[in-house]
Amino acid sequence: MSQPLPSNNAEEKGLARGLLALAIAAIILLGLAFFLTRPIHSLGSTSKNLLFLLAPLDNDFAHDVWFGIDLPKEPYKGERLISLVLAALAFLALLGVGRIIVNILFKRFQLSSCERAFFASTFGYAILACGGCYAGVCGDVNLACAILLVVGLLLWIVQTIRSHKSRSQTDKTLTDSHGVSAQDSTTSAAINATSRPLSQRLQGVMPKLLACVLALFASFYVFASSQPTFEYDALEYHLQGAREIFESGKIVFSTHNVYLNMPLGAEMNFVLGLNLAKFCNFSPDNQLRIGYLVGKTLLNFQILLTAYGTLLFARRFFPKDRTASLWSALLFLSFPNLFVVASSSLNESSLALAIMAILYLLAIFLQQRTSSVKSYATLALILGVFVAFACAVKYTSVVFIALPTTLAFLLLCICPVRATLKTSVDMASPANSTEVGTYRLPFKHTCALTLLFVLIAATLGGACYLKNYRATGNPVYPLAYSIFGDSQGYWNNELNERWRRAHSASSYNLKALADAVAKTCWKDDYLSPFYLFVYTGLVIALATMIGRRLACKTNPQADAQRLLTTLCLLQALYWCAWFLLTHRLNRFLLPVSPIAALLLGVWLARAMATRSLVLRVTTFTVAAIAILYSGLLIDLIGQGRLASLTALEHDDKRFENAAIYLNDHPYLLENQNDPDNPKCILLIGDAKAAAFRANVLYSTCWNDSPLMNALQGLFIRNRSGKVIDINEPEIARERLLKMNVRFIYVDFAEIERFRSPGNYGFNNDDITRSLLLDMEQRKIIEPFEEEAKALGMKQQDISRLETRRLYRVREE
């Protein structure tokens, strides 16, 4: 009887793997080509791939990137070095306070020194955000900042000296016991490394290459920290709110800017910076300039700290994927949208840090879980602080962070797991504990611990919510007006409808879904190509990992696979919440960008470790192109990082011309810093008050203008209610002078933008060009005699004179 020929299973499997690798490589390359051929909408129909041609075609590209385009020729100055040093001192103070808490609360967790530093820094930022808000609401925030700086720096110095002595003693003990020094062991390791085969040595090159590129991207954020802020929301809300808190020392309910009634935890970074500048005895003008830069640097340190957290997270939980940690940190920093937030002084970086810390803590607890109720209580306390940190920064954290974290904590308490039952008081020693079947926390303990967690989060993060409740009866003013109302009448149905239209998604149909997918994958000007792979890989990963049974418990990679599945689910759920509950700005997705970076980092590390040469080469090529594209785009976003700060502020493409002129001519507002009789500028339409280092009086589009309140009762109206004249012009002029208003700056283009369909609207319909012309004709105000120079334009540039006007209030 003839025997059948044996089939070559190895060759068939190898051929199948090769074809699969080719298919995957083709999909990746097609996706990259699709992304790079999409237009950059801010540049019309220009394709994204043309960005690669800028460097070889333009000889001045490097100079323009590093020194700015069309900026005044001024030598580099050392202002940014001052802000960097002061921010580093403030960071060390936060670290010093955070270390004390970590040493107390994290005794039950086995952490490396690097992980302790990460959690200590996060705790420092949480204390600054939550404690600063409470100090502003209940006392003097400037005094609290002084105490935090002095005590924090002293604690850091003491702890550093102690740790240095302890490390020296440990090194001496190891040397005496083993008879070989650390230097000798390093030298022998280097000799052994040079004797390894070439393939193994090439594998060791990749981590070094990634570390170098990571350092380059980190430097981008350091430079961005020392660049003046020009973004609208930051000048209107974040920086200006910090300035008003610093100047008054308190956080009070604001009737002139509704945004200042939102959580102000991130603004505490700027308040701390302003106090540092004041302690250094800078002039009032430079207190604002340097203080803003110090606060911005502190805020951007949170981005670098989050990148550090992703690196440590991947190193701990994906140890088999050797380069996943470096890939994750690099990919996080390479997201151009994140750099936009860093250069704009926005607060999404704080939420990203909070989410990273919460995720890291929960993962560590699952890895080291025991049956001790005290360990659950410690977890509730630490989680409560991190959730409070997020809620003290932004309202949306209540829905996007607080509720999911509460659910996760509940699941930890009620789900039975294999746990380590305590058999001794000493929980730190594994020898005194025994692992048994499953363990479920008693129901009464679950209820008590959940209540503890909620109370800690609500209490520590609730300063601004408490202030709003006392003022209006609405803790989340102006949100939830239909539920809580407004006991003082600052808000009404008309304003609430305008707010709802401007801050909520307009539709939820299939077209809206398709537009949202396109917006998050390739349609935004500041997207990284990696976003396309995040969401493509997300769909594939969810389809494969959820659709099949998870790996068995004997598989050493099972825990990593479960964690990867959880990260995919979190990313998908956050995107769904973003689609359903926000007005779909891409930067609202940035708080969850550390998770996207972790997913990409693990996937890239695994693709680079496969046996298929095709897949390895394709993955490396795609990653290199994507990182190069992101780096070029970040460079263009941050043009002028090494130009002097004075030159940047005088670039009329970046800064308000009236602000430049009035900042450079402080004598126009005599005694502007006199607390008893301050002179100020009244802004109408333009709410970017932080751009002016002089005193300002302003309102946003949600509040009544001070001008209309000053002229109340002096208007002459026709039958339709339209203002046709102003009665008693002398009284009107005296009222403005009594309010200490010396200049009025009107931005009609901004008012028209507010009034355009689908925008926020503008409270005062009576503010028009004709009203200001009537005030001019009635000798209440007069065009500033050097208006053309003040607005930075030529005399014949009539079009811009029609959109922005600078007036002086007549004093004779």
Side-chain angles (χ1 to χ4, degrees):
M1 186 174 179
S2 63
Q3 298 290 333
L5 294 174
S7 60
N8 195 340
N9 291 329
E11 290 185 3
E12 291 178 0
K13 289 182 179 179
L15 180 61
R17 290 196 191 99
L19 292 175
L20 180 61
L22 283 173
I24 295 174
I27 293 173
I28 292 175
L29 290 175
L30 285 174
L32 182 64
F34 176 76
F35 176 88
L36 292 177
T37 53
R38 297 298 91 192
I40 300 177
H41 299 279
S42 61
L43 299 178
S45 59
T46 304
S47 296
K48 292 173 179 167
N49 54 35
L50 291 180
L51 187 63
F52 293 99
L53 301 179
L54 286 176
L57 292 180
D58 187 356
N59 294 329
D60 295 328
F61 176 76
H63 177 272
D64 293 341
V65 163
W66 290 103
F67 293 95
I69 296 176
D70 296 331
L71 294 174
K73 295 181 179 179
E74 292 195 22
Y76 172 76
K77 299 180 181 180
E79 310 108 311
R80 48 173 49 93
L81 181 61
I82 296 173
S83 64
L84 182 61
V85 170
L86 292 180
L89 288 175
F91 179 81
L92 293 178
L94 298 179
L95 178 61
V97 175
R99 275 182 176 178
I100 295 294
I101 300 176
V102 166
N103 292 337
I104 295 173
L105 295 181
F106 282 76
K107 289 182 179 180
R108 296 179 178 275
F109 298 98
Q110 297 177 6
L111 302 177
S112 66
S113 58
C114 294
E115 289 171 329
R116 286 181 173 274
F118 169 74
F119 283 113
S121 303
T122 307
F123 259 107
Y125 277 111
I127 291 169
L128 175 63
C130 300
C133 287
Y134 264 109
V137 170
C138 304
D140 187 345
V141 68
N142 295 330
L143 176 61
C145 286
I147 295 173
L148 177 64
L149 286 170
V150 173
V151 173
L153 283 173
L154 288 176
L155 289 174
W156 178 79
I157 292 171
V158 171
Q159 293 163 4
T160 302
I161 293 174
R162 285 184 176 179
S163 62
H164 178 72
K165 289 183 178 179
S166 176
R167 193 181 304 114
S168 300
Q169 185 64 33
T170 303
D171 293 342
K172 182 180 179 181
T173 303
L174 290 175
T175 303
D176 293 342
S177 60
H178 296 287
V180 61
S181 65
Q183 183 177 358
D184 295 337
S185 61
T186 304
T187 304
S188 60
I191 295 174
N192 293 333
T194 57
S195 62
R196 290 181 301 171
L198 178 61
S199 59
Q200 294 183 11
R201 278 186 284 167
L202 289 177
Q203 290 179 0
V205 171
M206 181 60 69
K208 298 177 182 177
L209 176 63
L210 291 177
C212 291
V213 180
L214 178 61
L216 175 64
F217 273 83
S219 72
F220 291 163
Y221 289 86
V222 175
F223 285 129
S225 301
S226 58
Q227 189 177 34
T229 299
F230 307 99
E231 206 273 339
Y232 183 92
D233 285 350
L235 294 177
E236 177 199 18
Y237 164 28
H238 302 294
L239 270 64
Q240 179 59 21
R243 173 182 178 175
E244 294 187 20
I245 295 170
F246 167 69
E247 290 176 346
S248 66
K250 297 182 181 298
I251 298 176
V252 297
F253 185 83
S254 175
T255 57
H256 62 276
N257 191 337
V258 66
Y259 295 101
L260 300 188
N261 296 315
M262 295 183 179
L264 297 169
E267 285 67 35
M268 291 302 113
N269 293 280
F270 295 104
V271 175
L272 187 62
L274 290 166
N275 275 281
L276 260 175
K278 183 179 180 180
F279 298 155
C280 294
N281 202 28
F282 286 109
S283 66
D285 282 354
N286 284 329
Q287 282 179 20
L288 294 178
R289 294 181 70 252
I290 301 298
Y292 287 157
L293 293 177
V294 173
K296 186 178 183 180
T297 306
L298 274 175
L299 205 59
N300 287 347
F301 279 175
Q302 295 183 5
I303 294 177
L304 300 179
L305 183 61
T306 307
Y308 187 55
T310 61
L311 186 149
L312 297 175
F313 186 96
R315 180 174 293 178
R316 172 185 276 266
F317 296 104
F318 301 101
K320 300 293 183 181
D321 306 302
R322 293 179 58 249
T323 58
S325 57
L326 290 169
W327 275 118
S328 298
L330 173 59
L331 297 177
F332 175 71
L333 294 180
S334 72
F335 291 155
N337 243 323
L338 186 68
F339 186 83
V340 171
V341 166
S343 58
S344 301
S345 302
L346 300 173
N347 59 13
E348 277 75 18
S349 58
S350 298
L351 301 186
L353 176 60
I355 288 179
M356 187 69 247
I358 290 170
L359 178 65
Y360 206 154
L361 179 65
L362 289 173
I364 288 175
F365 184 81
L366 281 171
Q367 189 182 61
Q368 304 177 7
R369 193 169 179 181
T370 70
S371 62
S372 171
V373 176
K374 290 184 179 179
S375 64
Y376 282 88
T378 303
L379 176 67
L381 178 58
I382 301 172
L383 273 184
V385 174
F386 290 156
V387 170
F389 173 37
C391 292
V393 170
K394 208 164 188 176
Y395 278 148
T396 53
S397 301
V398 176
V399 175
F400 283 81
I401 298 177
L403 292 180
T405 306
T406 304
L407 179 61
F409 184 76
L410 270 173
L411 290 175
L412 279 176
C413 292
I414 64 177
C415 290
V417 294
R418 292 186 65 85
T420 304
L421 295 183
K422 185 177 69 171
T423 58
S424 172
V425 176
D426 184 12
M427 289 299 300
S429 175
N432 294 326
S433 52
T434 306
E435 186 175 315
V436 297
T438 59
Y439 173 78
R440 187 195 301 271
L441 202 66
F443 178 74
K444 63 178 182 179
H445 290 163
T446 298
C447 295
L449 290 169
T450 304
L451 180 61
L452 173 66
F453 161 72
V454 172
L455 285 176
I456 291 171
T459 302
L460 295 182
C464 293
Y465 301 80
L466 178 63
K467 178 259 297 179
N468 289 340
Y469 179 76
R470 290 193 308 189
T472 67
N474 181 0
V476 291
Y477 178 92
L479 278 60
Y481 172 77
S482 58
I483 299 174
F484 298 103
D486 179 1
S487 60
Q488 299 299 318
Y490 299 121
W491 208 248
N492 54 46
N493 290 326
E494 187 269 335
L495 288 174
N496 191 60
E497 180 59 24
R498 279 169 48 192
W499 181 279
R500 187 196 62 79
R501 288 198 309 266
H503 292 89
S504 61
S506 56
S507 59
Y508 299 93
N509 51 31
L510 289 177
K511 182 179 182 304
L513 180 63
D515 290 341
V517 171
K519 190 175 182 180
T520 52
C521 289
W522 67 82
K523 212 170 183 180
D524 190 278
D525 285 349
Y526 301 129
L527 278 180
S528 165
F530 285 120
Y531 273 103
L532 181 66
F533 306 131
V534 166
Y535 293 107
T536 303
L538 196 63
V539 173
I540 298 173
L542 289 175
T544 55
M545 287 191 286
I546 297 178
R548 69 183 182 182
R549 184 170 59 88
L550 293 176
C552 63
K553 295 181 180 179
T554 57
N555 185 352
Q557 284 285 71
D559 290 339
Q561 287 299 112
R562 294 191 190 96
L563 182 56
L564 204 59
T565 305
T566 304
L567 294 179
C568 289
L569 282 171
L570 290 175
Q571 183 78 16
L573 290 173
Y574 197 98
W575 190 93
C576 293
W578 169 84
F579 175 77
L580 295 172
L581 302 176
T582 72
H583 48 299
R584 299 169 191 163
L585 295 180
N586 268 6
R587 67 182 174 90
F588 292 166
L589 285 170
L590 287 177
V592 80
S593 56
I595 297 178
L598 284 168
L599 290 171
L600 275 169
V602 174
W603 291 338
L604 282 178
R606 292 183 177 181
M608 292 292 294
T610 58
R611 294 182 179 179
S612 170
L613 179 63
V614 174
L615 190 56
R616 292 203 308 271
V617 172
T618 303
T619 302
F620 181 79
T621 303
V622 168
I625 293 174
I627 290 176
L628 177 60
Y629 173 86
S630 298
L632 291 173
L633 186 55
I634 285 174
D635 269 337
L636 293 178
I637 296 169
Q639 285 171 358
R641 286 193 301 271
L642 287 185
S644 75
L645 301 183
T646 307
L648 286 169
E649 288 187 348
H650 284 71
D651 181 7
D652 60 3
K653 296 180 181 179
R654 295 173 178 262
F655 215 55
E656 288 296 330
N657 299 287
I660 293 172
Y661 189 83
L662 291 166
N663 288 339
D664 285 349
H665 299 80
Y667 61 84
L668 296 172
L669 290 162
E670 299 89 351
N671 302 317
Q672 61 172 309
N673 297 306
D674 183 358
D676 298 325
N677 189 27
K679 308 298 189 296
C680 64
I681 308 162
L682 171 60
L683 304 183
I684 302 177
D686 188 345
K688 300 186 286 292
F692 297 82
R693 289 194 286 276
N695 292 303
V696 294
L697 185 64
Y698 71 105
S699 67
T700 64
C701 57
W702 304 102
N703 309 95
D704 291 331
S705 169
L707 177 67
M708 305 309 292
N709 293 333
L711 302 182
Q712 189 68 33
L714 301 179
F715 294 124
I716 300 175
R717 301 178 183 270
N718 59 17
R719 291 182 179 179
S720 62
K722 183 179 180 180
V723 174
I724 59 175
D725 203 350
I726 298 175
N727 196 17
E728 302 290 347
E730 283 300 315
I731 296 178
R733 187 176 63 83
E734 290 174 1
R735 287 184 182 180
L736 288 174
L737 292 174
K738 190 175 182 180
M739 294 166 58
N740 295 316
V741 173
R742 294 300 181 269
F743 285 93
I744 298 178
Y745 180 58
V746 189
D747 191 336
F748 291 111
E750 196 70 6
I751 296 174
E752 291 171 3
R753 183 178 73 87
F754 284 138
R755 289 172 175 166
S756 62
N759 213 300
Y760 295 159
F762 197 72
N763 254 23
N764 305 106
D765 295 333
D766 293 325
I767 295 181
T768 60
R769 287 181 172 86
S770 61
L771 173 64
L772 274 297
L773 181 61
D774 289 342
M775 293 178 63
E776 182 181 340
Q777 292 174 348
R778 301 287 281 179
K779 306 298 183 181
I780 301 172
I781 58 176
E782 60 183 359
F784 191 46
E785 57 186 359
E786 299 180 9
E787 182 177 7
K789 183 179 179 181
L791 294 176
M793 67 185 76
K794 298 179 181 178
Q795 289 282 357
Q796 65 268 25
D797 193 352
I798 304 300
S799 60
R800 290 186 66 181
L801 284 174
E802 289 298 318
T803 59
R804 293 178 180 177
R805 305 284 292 191
L806 181 61
Y807 296 96
R808 187 206 295 267
V809 178
R810 296 176 65 94
E811 298 190 43
E812 67 280 356

